[in-house]
């Protein structure tokens, strides 16, 4: 049933923007108040709030602007050696366990620690996958009940499982965590303090979110936590709102998944995508308003009018989409259980059926995902004896400002309590920018570029991408292909150095003096190739001038043939595209965009690579042609 909005509240007039003059409201506050990364104003707030700012307060990390055309970046406040921690054991500012993971893996709603025993870890997936009374139960998969009781002994128990006393469905690992959740954070507002007649609304909200977008739940919990800080701990409303929304964000209403466009691109102005974008926006607005009406019904107070708006809610969801990290943590009993199954034949005999059924049920509820582009088959014991892992979307202040690189200099490691440690992947200097990989560096170049463009709206130009682009452009120059480029000895040495491998066999001249065109290692690959090509062009200038007059017509014909071949190839590949993509491509919607938008229009061609990258690849190949051996006379 549709919730009833709080008496006297006109949902349509309150849901869209801040009341009165925006300069006097939250937007104006944000414009004139720089973010407090050290967290001085939150020291008196309860819980983790001051702790998440500790790396900035202790000068381990700094927020900085490294260019006028860039947003905020994250830099190291000290020199860090490879393998050492940039900062340690940082709690998440906001964390949402995915619904699929929650159904098969339980953690404490307050501290996020794993709860239960080996028996509950094996039984929970069976219960989640069961349909009615016909589903398998743990009791059906062992010879005697005593075998299950053995899995609840101290050896196989992590923490007790204490259900919420108010019946919201959450569990806690201790009476201390339960007591803390009743006095602070989102749980107090959305469960403990909520009148009995409104508690069903939180259940309706979660169902609504799980149907449309799970991060609605995290947004609601953050809003409830802000309410708790203001109501019970004396926090200033605008300070609390800013504390949770100071990261890269964009309204979720504008992050439309349109064919051949980045999720972060603006609304199309002309062409066939306009109607599609309009329909998607209207649907999303309907979904957001439905969620917000439930929140208003539960939390409404006049002082929270700016907190309970479409603007704030949709920007919060958009921030999580752009700034959160994917948290994956193996169950702490998983390795011990696998070792026991492998080393103890009697133990394996007793629990093999239960373990196999549990893994099958877990995969049915939550099909496994991996960041490994080519994971390959896992050993049988790893597939059969692995307990469900924890998976969530988390906002960590310590890394939320980091920009992407396909050669990151740090990675994230998570403990059983979901605290994060930033670990250096190589030596890092003081003041050096800290970069995280938004997508797995193991992905192939095209897949990385496509994913980064689709989800974050930029074309990666890191050194790894440049090197791989150059290597792809020169792939035909290795001598294995009859159509490959025949490089001069100097050119072969350059290619070998740039691609980090030995030169093609027979290409290098042993003992040959260094080429005068050999580039400095401080240049980027494209610049180094350009320098080599330019040097050779100067040396051959006379011959080039003589050939120019006679060869211009042939060159033009050749270029036209190449363009036709490229067009034909693109047409063939586009046949495999989706119906939406094909319709949009055939309509040529990119030509209808304004000049300001055109550089970002239709960035992904049939190959899934932005045109700027395809052009760079073609330029690199043409540059290398100038390094070829001249054809033998006659």
């Amino acid at each position: 049933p549709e919730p009833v909005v709080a008496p006297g509240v006109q949902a349509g007039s309150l849901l869209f923007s801040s009341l009165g003059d925006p300069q006097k409201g939250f937007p104006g506050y944000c414009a004139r108040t720089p973010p407090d990364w050290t967290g001085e104003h939150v020291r008196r707030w309860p819980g983790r709030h001051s702790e998440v700012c500790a790396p900035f307060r202790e000068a381990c990390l700094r927020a900085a602007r490294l260019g006028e055309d860039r947003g905020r970046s994250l830099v190291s406040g000290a020199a860090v050696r490879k393998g050492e921690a940039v900062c340690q054991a940082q709690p998440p500012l906001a964390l949402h366990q995915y619904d699929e993971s929650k159904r098969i893996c339980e953690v404490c709603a307050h501290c996020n620690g794993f709860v239960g025993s080996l028996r509950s870890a094996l039984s929970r997936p069976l219960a989640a996958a069961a349909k009615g009374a016909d589903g398998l139960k743990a009791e059906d998969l062992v010879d005697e009940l005593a075998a299950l009781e053995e899995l609840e002994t101290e050896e196989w128990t992590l923490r007790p499982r204490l259900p919420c006393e108010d019946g919201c469905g959450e569990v806690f690992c201790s009476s201390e965590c339960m007591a803390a959740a009743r006095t602070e954070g989102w749980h107090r507002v959305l469960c403990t303090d909520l009148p009995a007649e409104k508690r069903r609304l939180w259940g309706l909200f979660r169902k609504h979110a799980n149907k449309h977008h799970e991060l609605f739940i995290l947004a609601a919990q953050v809003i409830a936590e802000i309410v708790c800080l203001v109501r019970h701990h004396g926090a200033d409303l605008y300070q609390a709102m800013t504390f949770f929304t100071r990261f890269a964000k964009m309204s979720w209403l504008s992050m439309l998944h349109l064919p051949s466009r980045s999720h972060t691109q603006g609304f199309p102005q002309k062409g066939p995508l306009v109607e599609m974008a309009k329909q998607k926006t209207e649907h999303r607005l309907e979904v957001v308003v439905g969620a917000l009406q439930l929140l208003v019904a539960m939390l409404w107070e006049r002082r929270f009018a700016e907190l309970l708006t479409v603007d704030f809610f949709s920007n919060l969801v958009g921030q999580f989409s752009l700034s959160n990290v994917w948290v994956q943590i193996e169950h702490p009993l998983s390795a011990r259980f696998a070792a026991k199954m492998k080393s103890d034949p009697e133990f394996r005999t007793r629990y093999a059926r239960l373990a196999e059924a549990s893994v099958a049920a877990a995969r049915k509820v939550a099909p496994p995902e991996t960041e490994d582009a080519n994971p390959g088959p896992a050993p049988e014991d790893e597939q059969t004896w692995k307990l469900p892992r924890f998976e969530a979307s988390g906002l960590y202040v310590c890394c939320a400002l980091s920009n992407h690189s396909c050669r990151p200099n740090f990675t994230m490691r998570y403990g059983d309590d979901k605290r994060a440690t930033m670990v250096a992947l190589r030596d890092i200097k003081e003041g050096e920018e800290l970069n995280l990989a938004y997508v797995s560096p193991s992905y192939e170049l095209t897949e990385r570029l496509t994913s980064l463009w689709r989800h974050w709206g930029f074309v990666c130009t890191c050194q790894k991408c440049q090197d791989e682009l150059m290597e792809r452009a020169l792939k035909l120059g290795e001598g294995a292909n009859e159509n490959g480029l025949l490089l001069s000895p100097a050119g072969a040495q350059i290619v070998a150095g740039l691609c980090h491998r030995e030169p093609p066999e027979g290409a290098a001249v042993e003992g040959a003096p260094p080429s005068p065109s050999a580039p400095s290692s401080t240049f980027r690959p494209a610049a180094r190739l350009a320098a080599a090509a330019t040097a050779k062009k100067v040396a051959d200038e006379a011959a080039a001038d003589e050939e120019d007059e006679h060869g211009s017509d042939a060159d033009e014909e050749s270029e036209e043939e190449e363009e036709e071949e490229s067009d034909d190839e693109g047409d063939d590949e586009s046949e495999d595209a989706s119906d939406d993509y094909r319709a949009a491509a055939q309509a040529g919607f990119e030509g209808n965009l304004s000049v300001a938008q055109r550089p970002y229009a239709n960035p992904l061609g049939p190959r899934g690579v932005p045109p700027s990258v395809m052009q760079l690849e073609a330029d690199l190949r043409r540059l290398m042609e100038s390094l070829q051996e001249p054809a033998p006379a006659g």
Side-chain angles (χ1 to χ4, degrees), residues 474 477-479 485-509 515 517 529 532 624 627-629:
L474 304 176
E478 298 180 14
L485 298 171
L486 179 62
L487 301 181
S488 66
Q493 291 284 8
I494 294 171
V495 171
L498 297 178
C499 298
H500 310 294
R501 60 169 180 241
E502 294 298 322
E505 184 177 357
V509 179
S515 168
S517 63
L529 284 176
M624 285 312 304
L627 294 174
Q628 293 183 82
E629 284 281 12

Side-chain angles (χ1 to χ4, degrees), residues 591-622:
N592 296 321
L593 297 170
S594 66
V595 175
Q597 292 174 308
R598 206 162 287 159
Y600 303 97
N602 193 20
L604 301 176
R607 295 174 59 195
V609 180
S612 58
V613 175
M614 298 168 65
Q615 183 63 48
L616 177 57
E617 185 179 339
D619 290 344
L620 288 170
R621 187 173 283 117
R622 281 196 292 270

